Amino acid sequence: MTTETTFHPISEYGLISDNRVAVEAMLDYLPLPAPTMISRADAVFVTVADLDDLGVWLQERGGTIHISSAADGLELWTLLTSTPPRADGSSVLVRVSVPVPMGESVMDFIRAAVAA
């Protein structure tokens, strides 16, 4: 007689909760600004106050920045990054965004991370 282990898929709510806990755990040891955090099953979305905060995330976690028009003279700058790998090798996608007025002066190391 053999016993087989059955794995049940995690519910969407479970994924949302798991992703939030992973990012909160990362924030416990990395001093990253995260005033607004919204967890979803596919990623955790963080909105920061200014480009300096986005730069802190970029320097600590790396990643690529995408820019999209937010209308009315604003752009939305979003850093695509992730948590450090967990024990099982997985990580959580983190999207860090900040609204930026068009034509705003941006630090070179942040501009260098913008996707071509």
Side-chain angles (χ1 to χ4, degrees), residues 6-111:
T6 303
F7 295 99
H8 298 285
I10 298 175
S11 68
E12 183 173 0
Y13 177 77
L15 287 171
I16 291 168
S17 178
D18 186 50
N19 287 349
R20 182 173 194 87
V21 168
V23 173
E24 287 173 345
M26 177 184 71
L27 294 175
D28 283 345
Y29 70 89
L30 293 177
L32 297 170
T36 303
M37 190 168 59
I38 300 171
S39 183
R40 296 285 186 252
D42 59 338
V44 174
F45 297 85
V46 175
T47 303
V48 295
D50 56 34
L51 280 168
D52 292 334
D53 289 347
L54 186 71
V56 171
W57 273 87
L58 177 60
Q59 287 179 315
E60 186 64 47
R61 297 301 313 141
T64 304
I65 296 174
H66 291 258
I67 302 171
S68 58
S69 174
D72 295 328
L74 288 175
E75 297 173 324
L76 185 66
W77 289 51
T78 303
L79 173 65
L80 284 63
T81 191
S82 64
T83 62
R86 296 184 271 195
D88 66 359
S90 67
S91 61
V92 175
L93 299 175
V94 181
R95 304 297 181 239
V96 184
S97 298
V98 62
V100 178
M102 288 181 180
E104 182 70 11
S105 179
V106 177
M107 292 164 276
D108 289 339
F109 79 95
I110 294 176
R111 189 161 301 280

